[in-house]
Amino acid sequence: MSSYTINANRVNRRIEQLSRIGKISETGVCRLALSPEDREAVDLVRAWMEEAGMTARVDAFGNLIGRLKGRDPDAPALMLGSHIDTQPYAGRFDGIVGVIGALETVQTIAEKGWVPDVPVEVVSFCDEEGCRFNKGLFGVRGMLGKLEDGELERTDKNGVTRRQALIEFGGDPERFAEDTLPPGRVSAFLELHIEQGPVLESLGAPVGLVTGISGPLWWTVDLYGFAGHAGSVPMTMRRDALVGASKVVVGLQELAIGEAGAPTVGTVGSLRVFPDSRNIIPEHVQFTVDLRDIDLERRNRLEKRLRALLETVSREHGLRYEIREDTNSEPRYCAAPIMDAIRKSAREMGPGEVPELMSGPFHDSLAMSSYCDYGMIFVRCREGISHNPKEYASPEDIAEGTELLYRTALRLCGLSGKTEG
Amino acid sequence: MSSYTINANRVNRRIEQLSRIGKISETGVCRLALSPEDREAVDLVRAWMEEAGMTARVDAFGNLIGRLKGRDPDAPALMLGSHIDTQPYAGRFDGIVGVIGALETVQTIAEKGWVPDVPVEVVSFCDEEGCRFNKGLFGVRGMLGKLEDGELERTDKNGVTRRQALIEFGGDPERFAEDTLPPGRVSAFLELHIEQGPVLESLGAPVGLVTGISGPLWWTVDLYGFAGHAGSVPMTMRRDALVGASKVVVGLQELAIGEAGAPTVGTVGSLRVFPDSRNIIPEHVQFTVDLRDIDLERRNRLEKRLRALLETVSREHGLRYEIREDTNSEPRYCAAPIMDAIRKSAREMGPGEVPELMSGPFHDSLAMSSYCDYGMIFVRCREGISHNPKEYASPEDIAEGTELLYRTALRLCGLSGKTEG
C-alpha cells in the first residue's frame, strides 16, 4: 500500500498551502464563507483545476466548478468534491481533503492522458459550514434549486446580508436560474471527508466506507415541577424538575447504548435549570435531545420508548412536560453500486475489507442525495476532533483516502479497465 | 381554641401595616436591609414597642431592641424576636411574624400589669436576609461579636459599603464593642417564624415545634469528560459529563429519600453544562449539592455514600471530578427545656400533640444557638412558598402561633403560674 497512483506529496502540499489562507494559531484556520480569505482560496484551487486540465468557473451561488471533458460531453457527469470554507476556529482538513482529493483524482487521470466516458466535475461548494449566516449547505442547495425564501436577506453579525457578500464574492443572484442543475445532469456524487469521529481510529483503519448519513431527530423538552426551599421541602413532597430531567438523560443514554452493534447515538447536549439557585428546588428544566440512527425504523422505536419514559418520569415526580420537535430528518443511504465500487477499489489496494460506518454529521452529500446517487469515503482523524485547530488527519491516511477516491472514480466514469492491481 | 389571650386583630393589623412599607405588587414587599424603607419600618415597630411599655433603642449594629423590665433587672433576659428586612421580591410574613408576635407577647403581659421575674427583650435583628451585601445574619452576629474581617467594606450593587449604609441607618461602628452581648446577658432566645416549607400544611397543623436547624453540607462539583460530535462518537466511546452528573442527581435523590422517616433532604439546585450545545457531547458539568439533616452522623454517612457514587460514576464514564466544600455546618438542636415549655403550652391550647419538625432554612436563631438556649415555633404557610409575594400565612394560624409564643414565654420568664387553662 506504500505506492499510490495519485501523487500523495502534491495532495498534502496543497492542503498545507490552503491552510495558510486564513491561518490562525499554529495549526488552525479561519476561512469564513464568502470572506476575502474564502475568495483567495477559491482562486488558488481554481488555478490548480486549470493546471489539471479542467475548465473552471465560479457559478452564481459561489460554487467553484472544474470540468474535465468526457468522451460523451453531454452524458450525465460524475461529480466529486466537498467544500473549502471553514468554521471560525477550525482545522485544515474538514472539507478541504475532499476538494483536494477530487482535484488530485482528475489531475491523475488527465496526466495519464486518459479520457473518461463521461464528464468528471470537481466542485468546491459555497458555504457548507453555515456559521456566518447561520444556515449551511448554501451552494449545494442553490445548485439544486432548494434555497428557501429570505436566505439572501440573512445577515452576518456585522449586518452584511448574504446577497451583498455573495455579489462581492463573485456570485450573482440574477443568474441563479441558469446555474440550477436540470435533472439528470449529474449521475453520481462522490465525497471524500475526514470522519469527524473516533470510529476509524478505534478500528485502526485509515479509511472507511460510509453507508449513509444518519437522520437526526432533534427535540427541545421542557419539564415543569415546583420550586421550594432546598432545606424545607421533604423529599416525598418534591416535584423536582432536575431529578426528572436527569432520569431522562440517563434513560436516553441507556436506550441508545442498549442497541448492541447498532450505530444509534442519543445525546442531551444542552440543559438549563431555572431558577438555578443552590438552595431552591429546580422548577423548570429545558434540555435538548439528539437521536440519530441509520435505521429509521429503529430510531422510531427508540423515540416511542423515550416518549414513554418522559411520561413515566413525569407521572412519578409530579411534572408536566412539553416536547418541541425541531428537526426530524430521514437517514440517507449511500447508493449500493457506489458502495460496491468503493469496496472493490479497496480490495485492490490491500487485504481485508474496508470498515463500513454511518456518518453522524451532515455533509454536502446530504443535499446531493436528493438529486442523484451518492457515496462517501471517510479518512481517519485523531481522537475524532473536528471544528477545532487540533483537528488532524495524517498525510498517509489522506493519501490512502485519495487513492481510494481515485480508484472508485475510475470505476464510475468508465475507466475501470485502467485500474491497476 | 377560638379565644386567645393575645390580641389577634392587633397582630394581623400590624403585619398589614408593616407590609405597606416597601409594598410591591398586590401582596409583595421589598424592604432591603438598611434602606430608607427598612428605617421607616424600624421606626414604626419602635413606636409600637414604646406603646407596649418597653424602652426601645437601635443598637450600633442596626438591631432594634425593646426591653420590658423584670423583677430582677439584672437577671439574664428572655429574648424574643426575628427580623423585618426582606428579600427584594418577598412577602409580608418571613421574619415579620416573629417580631410582631414577640411584641404582642410583651404587650399582652404589660397590659395585664404583670411583671416578669426576668427582663424580656424583643429584638428585630438587622439584615437577616443578606441579599444586599451578600452575607446575612449581620445584626445578630454583630451583637454576638461574630462579625468577620472586611464585612463593613462589602458593597451593594450600587457600590455603597455596608459601613456607609449602617451609619446612615443610625448604626455606629465606633460603638460595636459596647453593644456586644457579654456572656450570660440573655438566658434564652425564642423565635416565631413561618415554616417556609410544606410540612405543617401537609399535616393539617397550624403550628409546629422546631427540634433544630439542620446543618447543611454545600458542595460545588465539577465533572470533566470529553467533548465530541453528538452524531459521530459511538455511545461506547463517550465520556459524557452530563450522563455522569445526571446519575449523581438521581443518586442523591435516592440516598435522601431512602432514609425513611428521616427529615434528610438532598438537592441539586444549580447545574450548568459546557459547552451547552445541542450537537456536542457535554465536556464539563458543574453542579451544586445541598445535603441537610438534623442528625450529623446520618448526614456524614450519606456524604460518604455520595462520594462513593461520584467515584463509581466517574470511573464508569471515564470522567474526572472535583469537589469543593462551600459550607459544612453542624445541626443546632433546640434546647430541651424550651421544647418542653412549647409542648406544655400547646397542650393547654387544645388536644393533640404539636407536630415536631426540623428547620431546613437558617434563621437568626442559628446564630443565637451558639450563645444561649433557643427554641422556635413554626407557623404553617401556604404551599411552602416563601421569598415570593405569594407567601401566605392565615391570620388564624398567625394568631395560634403568637398565642403559643406568648404562653411559652410566660413559662420562661417566671410567669407560668399566670397561664390559663
Side-chain angles (χ1 to χ4, degrees):
Chain A
M1 295 209 295
S2 57
S3 73
Y4 297 119
T5 315
I6 55 102
N7 184 335
N9 284 340
R10 181 165 59 195
V11 168
N12 286 297
R13 197 179 60 238
R14 282 175 172 168
I15 290 172
E16 200 282 325
Q17 270 182 276
L18 263 183
S19 77
R20 289 183 220 155
I21 305 173
K23 187 175 198 288
I24 51 170
S25 71
E26 200 58 37
T27 57
V29 177
C30 172
R31 199 162 57 227
L32 293 183
L34 301 178
S35 65
E37 294 78 22
D38 191 15
R39 181 69 223 197
E40 190 185 337
V42 161
D43 288 341
L44 181 59
V45 176
R46 181 183 184 149
W48 289 334
M49 285 175 167
E50 287 164 354
E51 178 193 321
M54 289 181 267
T55 54
R57 68 190 186 96
V58 173
D59 76 0
F61 305 100
N63 300 309
L64 169 63
I65 308 167
R67 186 173 169 94
L68 182 72
K69 275 210 187 101
R71 222 170 280 279
D72 177 355
D74 300 323
L78 168 65
M79 186 181 267
L80 317 172
S82 191
H83 64 95
I84 60 171
D85 67 304
T86 77
Q87 293 274 333
Y89 188 63
R92 58 176 67 174
F93 304 101
D94 173 5
I96 289 100
V97 165
V99 172
I100 301 300
L103 179 65
E104 183 61 30
T105 295
V106 172
Q107 190 155 4
T108 303
I109 293 171
E111 284 175 350
K112 292 198 178 280
W114 298 337
V115 178
D117 283 357
V118 301
V120 181
E121 291 192 345
V122 173
V123 64
S124 174
F125 287 114
C126 182
D127 196 2
E128 189 265 358
E129 297 290 358
C131 32
R132 182 167 170 196
F133 297 99
N134 207 17
K135 193 165 175 75
L137 301 181
F138 175 80
V140 64
R141 287 187 298 111
M143 186 187 273
L144 299 173
K146 297 211 162 175
L147 294 183
E148 293 167 16
D149 287 348
E151 283 206 40
L152 291 179
E153 318 319 324
R154 297 180 85 97
T155 53
D156 67 10
K157 62 182 180 183
N158 298 317
V160 177
T161 63
R162 187 190 281 278
R163 180 188 300 277
Q164 285 171 269
L166 182 60
I167 291 171
E168 272 169 44
F169 186 80
D172 184 356
E174 302 300 313
R175 292 193 298 114
F176 276 4
E178 59 194 83
D179 274 346
T180 301
L181 274 190
R185 264 273 284 108
V186 171
S187 61
F189 178 69
L190 198 51
E191 184 171 11
L192 178 70
H193 205 283
I194 57 167
E195 183 199 338
Q196 302 182 281
V199 175
L200 293 175
E201 185 176 61
S202 74
L203 297 173
V207 298
L209 160 60
V210 176
T211 55
I213 299 175
S214 70
L217 175 71
W218 276 2
W219 284 352
T220 300
V221 180
D222 286 284
L223 266 180
Y224 298 96
F226 195 75
H229 195 294
S232 62
V233 183
M235 297 308 290
T236 51
M237 297 180 67
R238 296 187 173 204
R239 294 162 52 198
D240 185 328
L242 182 57
V243 170
S246 295
K247 288 189 175 178
V248 177
V249 172
V250 174
L252 174 63
Q253 194 259 356
E254 286 170 352
L255 279 179
I257 212 168
E259 297 292 319
T264 321
V265 281
T267 312
V268 174
S270 171
L271 183 145
R272 286 162 200 193
V273 179
F274 308 92
D276 197 44
S277 166
R278 73 180 315 145
N279 62 352
I280 301 181
I281 296 162
E283 169 132 333
H284 172 200
V285 173
Q286 183 176 76
F287 62 96
T288 58
V289 166
D290 178 322
L291 182 63
R292 303 188 195 206
D293 207 309
I294 195 67
D295 180 337
L296 186 59
E297 206 176 300
R298 185 169 53 210
R299 201 195 74 187
N300 288 341
R301 186 158 40 78
L302 290 181
E303 177 187 349
K304 215 176 257 178
R305 288 166 62 191
L306 188 61
R307 284 184 188 273
L309 176 65
L310 256 166
E311 184 64 36
T312 309
V313 165
S314 296
R315 200 169 313 136
E316 184 188 354
H317 291 278
L319 310 173
R320 186 170 62 79
Y321 70 94
E322 283 168 17
I323 298 173
R324 191 182 77 209
E325 189 179 276
D326 302 310
T327 293
N328 187 342
S329 304
E330 293 191 10
R332 305 296 300 185
Y333 297 95
C334 291
I338 298 183
M339 290 199 286
D340 206 45
I342 295 172
R343 279 188 208 103
K344 281 184 182 144
S345 304
R347 270 179 223 131
E348 288 169 5
M349 290 168 62
E353 290 290 304
V354 62
E356 308 196 357
L357 71 171
M358 78 164 190
S359 172
F362 297 169
H363 298 287
D364 289 303
S365 284
L366 181 70
M368 289 303 290
S369 74
S370 65
Y371 176 83
C372 63
D373 279 0
Y374 86 103
M376 283 194 84
I377 296 165
F378 271 170
V379 173
R380 165 169 60 185
C381 72
R382 195 161 62 193
E383 293 183 58
I385 296 170
S386 185
H387 291 185
N388 190 297
K390 287 190 204 149
E391 181 180 274
Y392 181 76
S394 75
E396 296 73 26
D397 290 357
I398 291 170
E400 184 86 2
T402 304
E403 180 75 15
L404 183 55
L405 178 73
Y406 161 74
R407 287 169 182 258
T408 305
L410 289 189
R411 288 191 150 81
L412 299 176
C413 72
L415 291 172
S416 52
K418 306 285 191 181
T419 59
E420 299 112 87
Chain B
M1 294 211 296
S2 57
S3 72
Y4 296 118
T5 315
I6 56 100
N7 184 336
N9 284 340
R10 181 165 59 193
V11 168
N12 287 297
R13 197 178 63 237
R14 283 176 171 166
I15 290 171
E16 200 280 326
Q17 271 180 275
L18 263 183
S19 76
R20 290 184 220 154
I21 305 174
K23 187 176 199 288
I24 51 171
S25 73
E26 200 57 39
T27 58
V29 177
C30 171
R31 197 163 57 230
L32 292 184
L34 302 178
S35 65
E37 293 78 21
D38 191 16
R39 181 69 224 197
E40 190 183 337
V42 162
D43 288 340
L44 182 58
V45 175
R46 181 183 184 148
W48 289 334
M49 284 176 167
E50 287 164 352
E51 179 192 322
M54 288 181 268
T55 53
R57 67 188 186 99
V58 173
D59 76 0
F61 306 100
N63 300 308
L64 169 64
I65 307 166
R67 184 175 170 94
L68 183 71
K69 277 213 187 96
R71 223 171 280 280
D72 175 357
D74 300 322
L78 167 65
M79 186 181 268
L80 316 172
S82 190
H83 64 96
I84 62 171
D85 66 305
T86 77
Q87 292 274 332
Y89 189 64
R92 58 176 68 173
F93 304 100
D94 172 5
I96 289 100
V97 165
V99 172
I100 301 300
L103 179 66
E104 183 61 30
T105 294
V106 172
Q107 190 155 5
T108 304
I109 292 171
E111 284 173 353
K112 292 200 177 280
W114 297 337
V115 178
D117 284 355
V118 300
V120 180
E121 291 192 345
V122 173
V123 63
S124 175
F125 287 115
C126 182
D127 195 1
E128 189 265 357
E129 297 290 0
C131 32
R132 182 167 170 198
F133 298 98
N134 205 20
K135 191 163 177 77
L137 302 182
F138 175 80
V140 65
R141 286 187 299 112
M143 184 186 275
L144 299 172
K146 298 212 161 177
L147 294 183
E148 294 167 16
D149 286 346
E151 283 207 40
L152 290 178
E153 317 319 323
R154 297 180 83 99
T155 53
D156 68 9
K157 61 182 181 184
N158 298 317
V160 178
T161 63
R162 188 191 281 277
R163 181 187 300 276
Q164 284 173 269
L166 182 60
I167 291 171
E168 271 169 44
F169 186 81
D172 184 355
E174 302 300 313
R175 291 194 297 114
F176 276 4
E178 60 195 81
D179 274 347
T180 303
L181 274 191
R185 264 273 285 105
V186 171
S187 61
F189 179 70
L190 198 50
E191 183 170 10
L192 177 71
H193 205 284
I194 57 166
E195 182 198 339
Q196 302 181 282
V199 175
L200 293 174
E201 186 177 61
S202 74
L203 298 172
V207 297
L209 160 60
V210 176
T211 54
I213 299 176
S214 68
L217 175 71
W218 276 3
W219 284 352
T220 299
V221 180
D222 285 285
L223 266 180
Y224 299 95
F226 196 75
H229 195 294
S232 62
V233 183
M235 297 308 287
T236 51
M237 298 181 67
R238 296 186 173 205
R239 293 161 54 195
D240 185 327
L242 182 57
V243 170
S246 296
K247 288 189 174 177
V248 177
V249 172
V250 173
L252 173 64
Q253 194 259 355
E254 287 170 352
L255 280 180
I257 212 168
E259 298 291 318
T264 321
V265 282
T267 311
V268 174
S270 171
L271 183 147
R272 287 163 198 189
V273 180
F274 308 92
D276 198 44
S277 166
R278 74 182 314 144
N279 62 353
I280 300 182
I281 297 163
E283 169 132 334
H284 172 199
V285 173
Q286 184 175 75
F287 62 95
T288 59
V289 165
D290 179 321
L291 182 63
R292 304 188 195 207
D293 207 309
I294 195 68
D295 179 338
L296 186 59
E297 206 177 301
R298 185 169 53 212
R299 201 196 75 189
N300 288 340
R301 188 158 39 77
L302 291 180
E303 177 187 349
K304 215 175 258 180
R305 288 166 63 190
L306 189 62
R307 284 184 188 271
L309 177 65
L310 256 166
E311 183 63 37
T312 309
V313 165
S314 296
R315 201 169 313 137
E316 185 189 356
H317 291 278
L319 310 173
R320 186 170 63 79
Y321 70 94
E322 283 168 17
I323 298 173
R324 191 183 76 208
E325 189 180 275
D326 302 311
T327 294
N328 187 342
S329 303
E330 292 189 12
R332 306 296 301 185
Y333 298 95
C334 292
I338 299 184
M339 290 199 287
D340 206 46
I342 296 172
R343 280 189 206 102
K344 282 183 181 144
S345 303
R347 270 180 222 128
E348 287 170 6
M349 291 168 61
E353 290 291 304
V354 61
E356 308 196 359
L357 71 170
M358 78 163 189
S359 172
F362 297 169
H363 298 287
D364 289 303
S365 283
L366 180 68
M368 289 303 291
S369 73
S370 65
Y371 176 84
C372 62
D373 279 0
Y374 86 103
M376 284 195 82
I377 295 166
F378 271 170
V379 173
R380 165 169 61 186
C381 72
R382 193 161 63 193
E383 292 182 59
I385 296 171
S386 185
H387 291 185
N388 190 299
K390 286 189 204 149
E391 180 181 276
Y392 181 77
S394 75
E396 296 73 24
D397 290 356
I398 290 169
E400 184 85 1
T402 304
E403 180 75 14
L404 183 55
L405 177 73
Y406 162 74
R407 287 169 181 259
T408 304
L410 290 189
R411 288 194 149 80
L412 298 177
C413 72
L415 292 171
S416 52
K418 308 287 189 179
T419 59
E420 299 110 89

